[in-house]
Amino acid sequence: PDGREPQWESTVREQRETNKHRLSDSSEAEYVELRNRRDSELPMPKLILHALQVNILGGRLPEPESNGKRYLKFPLDALEGAAWE
């Protein structure tokens, strides 16, 4: 990103220095406002509904149905901003 070369490792210090959302440069209120503003502009993650279903089940997949297959189920038009819109 931003014209930087790929790196295969970094230090915590380097991560803090390149993180434009770091808390150390702002108050907690400023950080929360920054994150809320930025996050409100991002689309819903494409696999959020899949992940939620598995997370609600404590990391387990749904039980197999009569055909032996496991399915994640959700209505496609349930959430505004979903990737399929």
Side-chain angles (χ1 to χ4, degrees):
D2 301 323
R4 292 178 292 170
E5 291 295 318
Q7 292 182 301
W8 61 275
E9 70 177 358
S10 67
T11 65
V12 172
R13 179 182 304 274
E14 288 169 335
Q15 290 296 314
R16 290 183 57 118
E17 290 170 355
T18 60
N19 182 354
K20 60 185 172 186
H21 304 296
R22 62 185 180 270
L23 182 58
S24 62
D25 289 348
S26 58
S27 70
E28 181 178 353
E30 291 170 327
Y31 178 78
V32 169
E33 192 277 326
L34 170 78
R35 291 303 315 200
N36 286 338
R37 184 171 19 96
R38 180 180 179 273
D39 293 350
S40 71
E41 298 169 355
L42 297 173
M44 180 185 304
K46 290 182 181 180
L47 299 177
I48 191 70
L49 297 176
H50 307 75
L52 283 173
Q53 282 193 38
V54 175
N55 287 343
I56 287 170
L57 295 172
R60 295 180 308 275
L61 294 174
E63 291 298 319
E65 297 206 1
S66 60
N67 64 358
K69 304 261 185 208
R70 298 172 189 262
Y71 295 92
L72 297 176
K73 299 179 182 181
F74 48 87
L76 294 178
D77 59 355
L79 297 172
E80 186 177 322
W84 46 81
E85 289 187 336

Coordinates of all heavy atoms in Angstrom, one line a residue:
P1 N 0.8 -1.2 0.0 CA 0.0 0.0 0.0 C 0.9 1.3 0.0 O 2.0 1.3 0.5 CB -0.8 -0.1 1.3 CG -0.5 -1.4 1.9 CD 0.6 -2.0 1.1
D2 N 0.3 2.3 -0.5 CA 1.0 3.6 -0.5 C 2.4 3.6 -1.1 O 3.3 4.3 -0.7 CB 1.1 4.2 0.9 CG -0.3 4.4 1.5 OD1 -1.2 4.7 0.8 OD2 -0.4 4.1 2.8
G3 N 2.6 2.6 -2.1 CA 3.9 2.6 -2.8 C 5.0 1.9 -2.0 O 6.1 1.8 -2.4
R4 N 4.6 1.3 -0.9 CA 5.6 0.5 -0.1 C 5.9 -0.8 -0.7 O 5.0 -1.5 -1.2 CB 5.2 0.4 1.4 CG 5.1 1.7 2.1 CD 4.6 1.5 3.5 NE 3.2 1.1 3.4 CZ 2.5 0.6 4.4 NH1 3.0 0.5 5.6 NH2 1.2 0.3 4.2
E5 N 7.1 -1.3 -0.5 CA 7.5 -2.6 -0.9 C 6.9 -3.7 0.0 O 6.8 -3.4 1.2 CB 9.0 -2.8 -1.0 CG 9.6 -2.0 -2.1 CD 9.2 -2.5 -3.5 OE1 9.2 -3.7 -3.7 OE2 9.0 -1.6 -4.3
P6 N 6.6 -4.9 -0.4 CA 6.1 -5.9 0.5 C 7.2 -6.3 1.5 O 8.3 -6.2 1.2 CB 5.8 -7.1 -0.4 CG 5.8 -6.6 -1.8 CD 6.6 -5.3 -1.8
Q7 N 6.7 -6.5 2.7 CA 7.7 -7.0 3.8 C 7.2 -8.3 4.4 O 6.0 -8.5 4.5 CB 7.7 -5.9 4.9 CG 8.4 -4.6 4.5 CD 8.4 -3.7 5.7 OE1 7.4 -3.3 6.2 NE2 9.7 -3.3 6.0
W8 N 8.1 -9.2 4.7 CA 7.7 -10.4 5.2 C 7.8 -10.5 6.7 O 7.3 -11.4 7.4 CB 8.5 -11.6 4.6 CG 10.0 -11.5 4.9 CD1 10.9 -10.7 4.1 CD2 10.7 -12.0 5.9 NE1 12.1 -10.8 4.7 CE2 12.1 -11.6 5.8 CE3 10.4 -12.9 7.0 CZ2 13.1 -12.0 6.7 CZ3 11.4 -13.2 7.9 CH2 12.7 -12.8 7.7
E9 N 8.3 -9.4 7.3 CA 8.3 -9.3 8.8 C 8.4 -7.9 9.2 O 8.7 -7.0 8.4 CB 9.5 -10.1 9.4 CG 10.9 -9.4 9.1 CD 12.0 -10.1 9.8 OE1 11.8 -11.1 10.5 OE2 13.2 -9.7 9.6
S10 N 8.0 -7.6 10.4 CA 8.1 -6.2 11.0 C 8.1 -6.3 12.5 O 7.8 -7.4 13.1 CB 6.9 -5.4 10.5 OG 5.7 -5.8 11.1
T11 N 8.5 -5.2 13.1 CA 8.5 -5.2 14.6 C 7.2 -4.5 15.0 O 6.5 -3.8 14.3 CB 9.7 -4.4 15.1 OG1 9.6 -3.0 14.6 CG2 11.0 -5.0 14.5
V12 N 6.9 -4.6 16.3 CA 5.8 -3.9 16.9 C 6.0 -2.4 16.7 O 5.1 -1.7 16.3 CB 5.6 -4.2 18.4 CG1 4.5 -3.4 19.0 CG2 5.3 -5.7 18.5
R13 N 7.2 -1.9 16.9 CA 7.5 -0.5 16.7 C 7.2 0.0 15.3 O 6.6 1.0 15.1 CB 9.0 -0.2 17.1 CG 9.3 1.3 16.9 CD 10.8 1.6 17.2 NE 11.2 1.2 18.5 CZ 11.0 1.9 19.6 NH1 10.5 3.1 19.6 NH2 11.4 1.4 20.8
E14 N 7.6 -0.8 14.3 CA 7.3 -0.4 12.9 C 5.8 -0.4 12.7 O 5.3 0.5 11.9 CB 8.0 -1.4 12.0 CG 9.5 -1.3 11.9 CD 10.2 -2.4 11.2 OE1 9.7 -3.5 11.1 OE2 11.3 -2.2 10.7
Q15 N 5.1 -1.4 13.2 CA 3.7 -1.4 13.0 C 3.0 -0.1 13.6 O 2.1 0.5 13.0 CB 3.1 -2.7 13.6 CG 3.4 -3.9 12.9 CD 2.8 -3.9 11.5 OE1 1.7 -3.6 11.3 NE2 3.6 -4.3 10.5
R16 N 3.5 0.2 14.8 CA 2.9 1.4 15.5 C 3.2 2.7 14.7 O 2.4 3.6 14.6 CB 3.4 1.5 16.9 CG 2.9 0.5 17.8 CD 3.4 0.7 19.2 NE 3.0 2.0 19.6 CZ 2.2 2.3 20.7 NH1 1.8 1.3 21.4 NH2 1.9 3.5 21.0
E17 N 4.4 2.7 14.1 CA 4.8 3.9 13.3 C 4.1 4.1 12.0 O 3.8 5.2 11.6 CB 6.3 3.9 13.1 CG 7.2 4.1 14.3 CD 8.6 3.8 14.1 OE1 9.0 3.4 13.0 OE2 9.4 4.0 15.1
T18 N 3.7 3.0 11.4 CA 3.0 3.0 10.1 C 1.5 3.0 10.3 O 0.8 3.2 9.3 CB 3.4 1.9 9.2 OG1 3.1 0.7 9.8 CG2 4.9 2.0 8.9
N19 N 0.9 2.8 11.5 CA -0.5 2.7 11.7 C -1.1 4.1 11.8 O -0.9 4.7 12.8 CB -0.8 1.8 12.9 CG -2.3 1.7 13.1 OD1 -3.1 2.2 12.4 ND2 -2.6 0.9 14.1
K20 N -1.8 4.5 10.8 CA -2.4 5.8 10.8 C -3.5 6.0 11.8 O -4.0 7.1 12.0 CB -2.8 6.3 9.4 CG -3.9 5.4 8.8 CD -4.2 5.8 7.4 CE -5.1 4.8 6.7 NZ -5.2 5.1 5.3
H21 N -4.0 4.9 12.4 CA -5.1 4.9 13.3 C -4.6 4.7 14.8 O -5.4 4.3 15.6 CB -6.1 3.9 13.0 CG -6.7 4.1 11.6 ND1 -7.3 5.2 11.2 CD2 -6.6 3.3 10.5 CE1 -7.6 5.1 9.9 NE2 -7.2 3.9 9.5
R22 N -3.4 4.9 15.0 CA -2.8 4.6 16.4 C -3.4 5.5 17.4 O -3.5 6.7 17.2 CB -1.3 4.6 16.4 CG -0.7 5.9 16.0 CD 0.9 5.6 15.9 NE 1.5 6.8 15.6 CZ 1.8 7.2 14.4 NH1 1.4 6.5 13.3 NH2 2.5 8.4 14.1
L23 N -3.6 5.0 18.6 CA -4.2 5.7 19.7 C -3.2 6.7 20.3 O -3.6 7.7 20.9 CB -4.7 4.7 20.7 CG -5.4 5.3 22.0 CD1 -6.6 6.1 21.6 CD2 -5.9 4.1 22.8
S24 N -1.9 6.4 20.3 CA -1.0 7.1 21.0 C -0.9 8.6 20.6 O -0.4 9.5 21.3 CB 0.4 6.5 20.9 OG 0.8 6.5 19.6
D25 N -1.3 8.9 19.4 CA -1.3 10.3 18.9 C -2.6 11.1 19.1 O -2.7 12.2 18.7 CB -1.0 10.3 17.4 CG 0.4 9.9 17.0 OD1 1.2 9.8 18.0 OD2 0.7 9.6 15.9
S26 N -3.6 10.5 19.8 CA -4.8 11.1 20.0 C -5.5 10.7 21.3 O -5.1 9.7 21.9 CB -5.8 10.8 18.8 OG -6.0 9.4 18.7
S27 N -6.5 11.5 21.7 CA -7.2 11.1 22.9 C -8.1 9.9 22.5 O -8.3 9.6 21.4 CB -8.1 12.2 23.4 OG -9.1 12.5 22.5
E28 N -8.6 9.2 23.5 CA -9.5 8.1 23.3 C -10.8 8.6 22.5 O -11.2 7.9 21.6 CB -10.0 7.5 24.6 CG -10.9 6.3 24.4 CD -11.3 5.6 25.7 OE1 -10.8 6.0 26.8 OE2 -12.2 4.7 25.6
A29 N -11.3 9.7 22.8 CA -12.5 10.3 22.1 C -12.2 10.5 20.7 O -13.0 10.2 19.8 CB -13.0 11.5 22.8
E30 N -11.0 11.1 20.4 CA -10.6 11.3 19.0 C -10.4 10.0 18.3 O -10.8 9.9 17.1 CB -9.3 12.1 19.0 CG -9.4 13.6 19.5 CD -8.1 14.2 19.6 OE1 -7.1 13.6 20.0 OE2 -8.0 15.5 19.4
Y31 N -9.8 9.0 18.9 CA -9.6 7.7 18.3 C -11.0 7.1 18.0 O -11.2 6.6 16.9 CB -8.8 6.8 19.2 CG -8.6 5.5 18.6 CD1 -7.7 5.3 17.6 CD2 -9.3 4.4 19.0 CE1 -7.5 4.0 17.1 CE2 -9.2 3.1 18.5 CZ -8.2 2.9 17.5 OH -8.0 1.7 17.0
V32 N -11.9 7.1 18.9 CA -13.2 6.5 18.7 C -13.9 7.2 17.6 O -14.5 6.6 16.7 CB -14.1 6.6 20.0 CG1 -15.5 6.2 19.7 CG2 -13.4 5.6 21.0
E33 N -13.9 8.5 17.5 CA -14.5 9.3 16.4 C -13.9 8.9 15.1 O -14.6 8.7 14.1 CB -14.4 10.8 16.7 CG -15.3 11.7 15.8 CD -14.6 12.0 14.5 OE1 -13.4 12.1 14.4 OE2 -15.4 12.1 13.5
L34 N -12.6 8.8 15.0 CA -11.9 8.5 13.8 C -12.3 7.1 13.3 O -12.6 6.9 12.1 CB -10.4 8.5 14.0 CG -9.5 7.9 12.9 CD1 -9.4 8.9 11.7 CD2 -8.1 7.5 13.4
R35 N -12.3 6.1 14.2 CA -12.7 4.8 13.9 C -14.2 4.7 13.4 O -14.5 4.0 12.4 CB -12.4 3.8 15.0 CG -11.0 3.6 15.3 CD -10.2 3.0 14.2 NE -10.9 2.0 13.5 CZ -10.3 1.1 12.7 NH1 -9.0 1.1 12.5 NH2 -11.0 0.2 12.0
N36 N -15.0 5.4 14.1 CA -16.5 5.3 13.8 C -16.7 5.9 12.4 O -17.4 5.4 11.6 CB -17.3 6.0 14.8 CG -17.5 5.2 16.1 OD1 -17.3 4.0 16.1 ND2 -17.8 5.9 17.2
R37 N -16.0 7.1 12.1 CA -16.1 7.7 10.8 C -15.6 6.8 9.7 O -16.2 6.6 8.7 CB -15.4 9.1 10.8 CG -15.5 9.9 9.6 CD -15.0 11.3 9.7 NE -14.1 11.5 10.8 CZ -12.7 11.5 10.6 NH1 -12.2 11.2 9.5 NH2 -11.9 11.7 11.7
R38 N -14.4 6.3 9.9 CA -13.8 5.4 8.9 C -14.6 4.1 8.7 O -14.9 3.7 7.6 CB -12.4 5.0 9.3 CG -11.7 4.1 8.3 CD -10.3 3.8 8.7 NE -9.7 2.9 7.7 CZ -9.9 1.6 7.7 NH1 -10.6 1.0 8.6 NH2 -9.3 0.8 6.7
D39 N -15.0 3.5 9.8 CA -15.7 2.2 9.7 C -17.1 2.4 9.0 O -17.6 1.5 8.3 CB -15.9 1.6 11.0 CG -14.6 1.1 11.6 OD1 -13.6 1.1 10.9 OD2 -14.6 0.7 12.8
S40 N -17.7 3.6 9.2 CA -19.0 3.8 8.6 C -18.9 3.9 7.0 O -19.9 3.8 6.3 CB -19.6 5.1 9.1 OG -19.0 6.3 8.7
E41 N -17.7 4.2 6.5 CA -17.5 4.3 5.1 C -17.2 3.0 4.4 O -17.2 2.9 3.2 CB -16.4 5.3 4.8 CG -16.7 6.7 5.3 CD -15.5 7.6 5.2 OE1 -14.4 7.1 4.9 OE2 -15.6 8.8 5.5
L42 N -16.8 2.0 5.2 CA -16.4 0.7 4.7 C -17.6 -0.2 4.4 O -18.6 -0.1 5.1 CB -15.5 -0.1 5.7 CG -14.2 0.6 6.1 CD1 -13.5 -0.1 7.2 CD2 -13.3 0.7 4.8
P43 N -17.6 -1.0 3.3 CA -18.7 -1.9 3.1 C -18.7 -3.1 4.1 O -17.7 -3.3 4.8 CB -18.3 -2.5 1.7 CG -16.9 -2.3 1.6 CD -16.5 -1.1 2.4
M44 N -19.8 -3.7 4.2 CA -19.9 -4.9 5.0 C -18.9 -5.9 4.5 O -18.9 -6.2 3.3 CB -21.3 -5.4 5.0 CG -21.5 -6.6 5.9 SD -23.2 -7.3 5.8 CE -24.2 -6.0 6.1
P45 N -18.2 -6.6 5.4 CA -17.3 -7.7 4.9 C -18.1 -8.7 4.2 O -19.2 -9.1 4.6 CB -16.7 -8.2 6.2 CG -16.8 -7.1 7.2 CD -18.0 -6.3 6.8
K46 N -17.6 -9.3 3.1 CA -18.3 -10.2 2.3 C -18.7 -11.5 3.0 O -19.7 -12.1 2.7 CB -17.5 -10.6 1.0 CG -17.4 -9.4 0.1 CD -16.6 -9.8 -1.1 CE -16.5 -8.6 -2.1 NZ -15.8 -8.9 -3.3
L47 N -17.9 -11.9 4.0 CA -18.2 -13.2 4.6 C -18.7 -13.0 6.1 O -18.7 -14.0 6.9 CB -16.9 -14.1 4.6 CG -16.4 -14.5 3.2 CD1 -15.1 -15.3 3.3 CD2 -17.4 -15.3 2.5
I48 N -19.1 -11.8 6.4 CA -19.6 -11.6 7.8 C -20.7 -12.5 8.2 O -20.7 -13.0 9.3 CB -19.9 -10.1 8.0 CG1 -20.1 -9.8 9.5 CG2 -21.2 -9.7 7.3 CD1 -18.8 -9.9 10.3
L49 N -21.7 -12.7 7.4 CA -22.8 -13.5 7.7 C -22.4 -15.0 7.9 O -22.9 -15.7 8.8 CB -24.0 -13.4 6.7 CG -24.5 -12.0 6.6 CD1 -25.6 -11.9 5.5 CD2 -25.1 -11.6 7.9
H50 N -21.5 -15.5 7.1 CA -21.0 -16.8 7.2 C -20.3 -16.9 8.6 O -20.5 -17.9 9.3 CB -20.0 -17.1 6.1 CG -20.5 -16.9 4.7 ND1 -20.7 -15.6 4.2 CD2 -21.0 -17.8 3.8 CE1 -21.2 -15.7 3.0 NE2 -21.3 -17.0 2.7
A51 N -19.4 -16.0 8.9 CA -18.6 -16.0 10.1 C -19.5 -15.9 11.3 O -19.3 -16.6 12.3 CB -17.6 -14.9 10.1
L52 N -20.6 -15.1 11.3 CA -21.5 -15.0 12.4 C -22.2 -16.3 12.7 O -22.3 -16.6 13.9 CB -22.5 -13.9 12.1 CG -22.0 -12.4 12.3 CD1 -23.1 -11.5 11.8 CD2 -21.6 -12.1 13.7
Q53 N -22.6 -17.0 11.7 CA -23.3 -18.2 11.9 C -22.4 -19.2 12.6 O -22.8 -19.9 13.5 CB -23.8 -18.8 10.6 CG -25.1 -18.1 10.1 CD -25.8 -18.9 9.0 OE1 -25.8 -20.1 9.0 NE2 -26.3 -18.2 8.1
V54 N -21.2 -19.3 12.2 CA -20.3 -20.3 12.8 C -19.9 -19.8 14.2 O -19.8 -20.6 15.1 CB -19.0 -20.5 11.9 CG1 -18.0 -21.4 12.6 CG2 -19.4 -21.1 10.6
N55 N -19.7 -18.5 14.4 CA -19.3 -18.0 15.7 C -20.4 -18.2 16.7 O -20.2 -18.5 17.9 CB -18.9 -16.5 15.6 CG -17.6 -16.3 15.0 OD1 -16.8 -17.2 14.9 ND2 -17.3 -15.1 14.5
I56 N -21.7 -18.0 16.3 CA -22.8 -18.2 17.2 C -22.9 -19.6 17.7 O -23.3 -19.9 18.8 CB -24.1 -17.7 16.5 CG1 -24.2 -16.2 16.4 CG2 -25.4 -18.3 17.2 CD1 -25.3 -15.7 15.5
L57 N -22.4 -20.5 16.8 CA -22.4 -21.9 17.2 C -21.2 -22.3 17.9 O -20.8 -23.5 18.1 CB -22.6 -22.8 15.9 CG -23.9 -22.7 15.2 CD1 -23.9 -23.4 13.9 CD2 -25.1 -23.2 16.0
G58 N -20.4 -21.3 18.4 CA -19.2 -21.6 19.2 C -18.1 -22.2 18.3 O -17.3 -23.0 18.8
G59 N -18.0 -21.8 17.0 CA -17.0 -22.3 16.2 C -17.3 -23.7 15.5 O -16.6 -24.2 14.7
R60 N -18.5 -24.2 15.8 CA -18.9 -25.5 15.2 C -19.7 -25.2 13.9 O -20.4 -24.2 13.9 CB -19.8 -26.3 16.2 CG -19.0 -26.7 17.4 CD -19.8 -27.6 18.3 NE -21.1 -26.9 18.7 CZ -21.2 -26.0 19.7 NH1 -20.2 -25.6 20.4 NH2 -22.4 -25.5 19.9
L61 N -19.6 -26.1 13.0 CA -20.5 -25.9 11.8 C -21.9 -26.5 12.1 O -22.0 -27.3 13.0 CB -19.8 -26.8 10.6 CG -18.5 -26.2 10.1 CD1 -17.9 -27.2 9.1 CD2 -18.6 -24.8 9.5
P62 N -22.9 -26.0 11.3 CA -24.2 -26.5 11.5 C -24.2 -28.0 11.3 O -23.4 -28.6 10.6 CB -25.0 -25.8 10.4 CG -24.2 -24.6 10.0 CD -22.8 -25.0 10.2
E63 N -25.2 -28.6 12.0 CA -25.4 -30.1 11.8 C -25.7 -30.4 10.4 O -26.3 -29.7 9.7 CB -26.5 -30.6 12.7 CG -26.2 -30.5 14.2 CD -25.0 -31.4 14.6 OE1 -24.9 -32.5 14.1 OE2 -24.1 -30.9 15.3
P64 N -25.3 -31.6 9.9 CA -25.6 -32.0 8.5 C -27.1 -32.2 8.4 O -27.8 -32.6 9.3 CB -24.9 -33.4 8.4 CG -23.9 -33.4 9.5 CD -24.4 -32.6 10.6
E65 N -27.6 -31.9 7.2 CA -29.0 -32.1 6.9 C -29.2 -33.5 6.4 O -28.2 -34.3 6.4 CB -29.4 -31.0 5.8 CG -29.3 -29.6 6.5 CD -30.2 -28.6 5.9 OE1 -31.0 -29.0 5.0 OE2 -30.1 -27.5 6.3
S66 N -30.4 -33.8 5.9 CA -30.7 -35.2 5.5 C -29.8 -35.8 4.4 O -29.6 -37.0 4.3 CB -32.2 -35.3 5.1 OG -32.5 -34.5 4.0
N67 N -29.3 -34.9 3.6 CA -28.4 -35.3 2.5 C -26.9 -35.5 3.0 O -26.0 -35.7 2.1 CB -28.5 -34.4 1.3 CG -28.0 -33.0 1.6 OD1 -27.6 -32.7 2.7 ND2 -28.1 -32.2 0.6
G68 N -26.7 -35.2 4.2 CA -25.3 -35.3 4.8 C -24.5 -34.1 4.6 O -23.3 -34.0 5.1
K69 N -25.0 -33.0 4.0 CA -24.3 -31.8 3.7 C -24.6 -30.8 4.8 O -25.7 -30.7 5.4 CB -24.7 -31.2 2.4 CG -24.4 -32.1 1.2 CD -23.2 -31.8 0.5 CE -23.1 -32.7 -0.7 NZ -21.7 -33.0 -1.1
R70 N -23.6 -29.9 5.1 CA -23.8 -28.8 6.1 C -24.0 -27.6 5.3 O -23.3 -27.3 4.3 CB -22.6 -28.7 7.0 CG -22.3 -29.9 7.8 CD -21.0 -29.8 8.5 NE -20.6 -31.0 9.2 CZ -20.7 -31.3 10.5 NH1 -21.3 -30.4 11.2 NH2 -20.4 -32.4 10.9
Y71 N -24.9 -26.7 5.8 CA -25.3 -25.5 5.0 C -25.3 -24.3 6.0 O -25.7 -24.4 7.1 CB -26.7 -25.6 4.4 CG -26.8 -26.6 3.3 CD1 -27.2 -27.9 3.6 CD2 -26.5 -26.3 2.0 CE1 -27.3 -28.9 2.7 CE2 -26.6 -27.3 1.0 CZ -27.0 -28.5 1.3 OH -27.1 -29.5 0.4
L72 N -24.7 -23.2 5.5 CA -24.9 -21.9 6.2 C -26.1 -21.2 5.5 O -26.1 -21.2 4.2 CB -23.6 -21.0 6.0 CG -22.4 -21.6 6.7 CD1 -21.2 -20.7 6.4 CD2 -22.6 -21.8 8.2
K73 N -27.0 -20.7 6.2 CA -28.2 -20.2 5.6 C -28.5 -18.8 6.1 O -28.4 -18.5 7.3 CB -29.4 -21.0 6.0 CG -29.3 -22.5 5.5 CD -30.5 -23.2 5.9 CE -30.4 -24.7 5.5 NZ -31.6 -25.4 5.9
F74 N -28.8 -17.9 5.2 CA -29.2 -16.5 5.6 C -29.9 -15.9 4.4 O -29.7 -16.2 3.2 CB -28.0 -15.7 6.0 CG -26.9 -15.7 5.0 CD1 -26.8 -14.9 3.9 CD2 -25.9 -16.7 5.2 CE1 -25.8 -15.0 3.0 CE2 -24.8 -16.8 4.3 CZ -24.7 -15.9 3.2
P75 N -30.9 -15.0 4.7 CA -31.6 -14.3 3.6 C -30.7 -13.3 2.9 O -30.0 -12.6 3.6 CB -32.8 -13.7 4.3 CG -32.4 -13.6 5.7 CD -31.4 -14.7 6.0
L76 N -30.7 -13.3 1.6 CA -29.8 -12.4 0.8 C -30.1 -11.0 1.0 O -29.3 -10.1 0.8 CB -29.8 -12.8 -0.6 CG -29.2 -14.2 -0.9 CD1 -29.3 -14.5 -2.4 CD2 -27.7 -14.3 -0.4
D77 N -31.4 -10.7 1.3 CA -31.7 -9.2 1.4 C -31.9 -8.8 2.8 O -32.6 -7.8 3.1 CB -33.0 -9.0 0.5 CG -34.2 -9.8 1.0 OD1 -34.0 -10.7 1.9 OD2 -35.3 -9.6 0.5
A78 N -31.3 -9.5 3.7 CA -31.6 -9.2 5.2 C -30.8 -8.0 5.7 O -31.3 -7.3 6.5 CB -31.2 -10.4 6.0
L79 N -29.6 -7.7 5.1 CA -28.8 -6.6 5.7 C -28.4 -5.6 4.6 O -27.9 -6.0 3.6 CB -27.5 -7.2 6.3 CG -27.8 -8.1 7.5 CD1 -26.4 -8.8 7.9 CD2 -28.3 -7.3 8.7
E80 N -28.7 -4.4 4.9 CA -28.4 -3.3 4.0 C -26.9 -3.2 3.9 O -26.1 -3.3 4.8 CB -28.9 -2.0 4.5 CG -28.8 -0.8 3.5 CD -29.4 0.4 4.1 OE1 -30.5 0.3 4.7 OE2 -28.8 1.5 3.9
G81 N -26.4 -3.0 2.7 CA -24.9 -2.8 2.5 C -24.2 -4.1 2.2 O -23.0 -4.1 2.1
A82 N -24.9 -5.2 2.1 CA -24.3 -6.5 1.9 C -23.6 -6.5 0.5 O -24.1 -5.8 -0.4 CB -25.3 -7.6 2.0
A83 N -22.6 -7.3 0.3 CA -21.8 -7.3 -0.9 C -22.6 -7.7 -2.2 O -22.2 -7.3 -3.3 CB -20.6 -8.2 -0.8
W84 N -23.7 -8.4 -2.0 CA -24.4 -8.8 -3.2 C -25.4 -7.8 -3.7 O -26.0 -8.0 -4.7 CB -25.2 -10.1 -2.9 CG -25.9 -10.1 -1.6 CD1 -27.1 -9.5 -1.4 CD2 -25.4 -10.6 -0.4 NE1 -27.4 -9.6 -0.1 CE2 -26.4 -10.3 0.6 CE3 -24.3 -11.3 0.0 CZ2 -26.3 -10.7 1.9 CZ3 -24.1 -11.6 1.3 CH2 -25.1 -11.3 2.2
E85 N -25.5 -6.7 -3.0 CA -26.4 -5.6 -3.5 C -25.8 -4.8 -4.6 O -24.6 -4.7 -4.7 CB -26.8 -4.7 -2.3 CG -27.7 -5.3 -1.4 CD -28.2 -4.4 -0.3 OE1 -27.6 -3.3 0.0 OE2 -29.2 -4.7 0.2

